[in-house]
Amino acid sequence: MAHRSTLAAVSSVQLAAQLAGHVVALRRRRHFDVPFVAGSPEHLVRDWLWFGTAYSAPPYLLVPQLWATARLLRGPGAGSDDRARWVLRWLGTGLSVGYPSERWTRARLRPGGADPVETPVVVAGWGGALALAVLARR
C-alpha cells in the first residue's frame, strides 16, 4: 500500500493534468467523443458538466478526487485514509478505462498523431490515473 504522501502527490499531478486538459480542450474545442456518444464543440462547457471533455473528467468526478487528495494531505485520522484511498482507487480505475475510450486520446497516442501540447496532457492524465488505480489498492 502506497504511503499517504505518495498517493496524494500522484493524485495532485493527475488533477493538474486534468486541469491542463480542461484548458486545452476549451481552447482547441476538444469535446468528448467516446463509442456510442459524442459531444459537440458548440456545447463544450455544458457537455463538460455531464460528460467531461476529451482531456478532463466532469466536475462530479473531480470533486471527490479533490476531497480525497486533501484528506490524505491533512494526515491520518479515524478511517478517513481508507475512504480516501477507496475513492482514489475507483476514480483511477474508471479514468484508466475512460482515457483510452476517448477518440482524441487515441489519436494523440498513435504513431504520427503526437501533438506538442495535447500528447503530454494525455500521457500525464492517463499515467496518473493508472498510478492511482495501482497505488491506492490495499
Side-chain angles (χ1 to χ4, degrees), residues 2-124:
H3 191 272
R4 177 187 314 103
S5 60
T6 303
L7 189 55
V10 168
S11 183
S12 297
V13 168
Q14 207 284 327
L15 280 166
Q18 292 227 34
L19 176 61
H22 184 69
V23 171
V24 169
L26 287 176
R27 288 189 178 171
R28 295 188 175 193
R29 312 301 292 167
R30 299 291 193 242
H31 56 86
F32 79 96
D33 189 353
V34 295
F36 308 113
V37 66
S40 70
E42 296 81 31
H43 300 290
L44 194 61
V45 174
R46 180 197 67 191
D47 290 346
W48 170 71
L49 292 172
W50 302 108
F51 300 103
T53 68
Y55 305 131
S56 62
Y60 60 84
L61 295 179
L62 296 175
V63 170
Q65 187 175 354
L66 279 167
W67 170 83
T69 305
R71 178 64 209 113
L72 291 174
L73 289 171
R74 276 196 303 256
S80 292
D81 281 1
D82 289 339
R83 282 190 295 274
R85 285 176 185 278
W86 183 87
V87 166
L88 293 177
R89 184 179 78 234
W90 285 106
L91 286 172
T93 301
L95 291 171
S96 294
V97 174
Y99 271 95
S101 71
E102 270 293 336
R103 180 176 63 91
W104 289 106
T105 295
R106 293 189 312 272
R108 292 301 162 238
L109 296 177
R110 283 192 181 108
D115 178 87
V117 174
E118 294 178 25
T119 301
V121 167
V122 167
V123 169

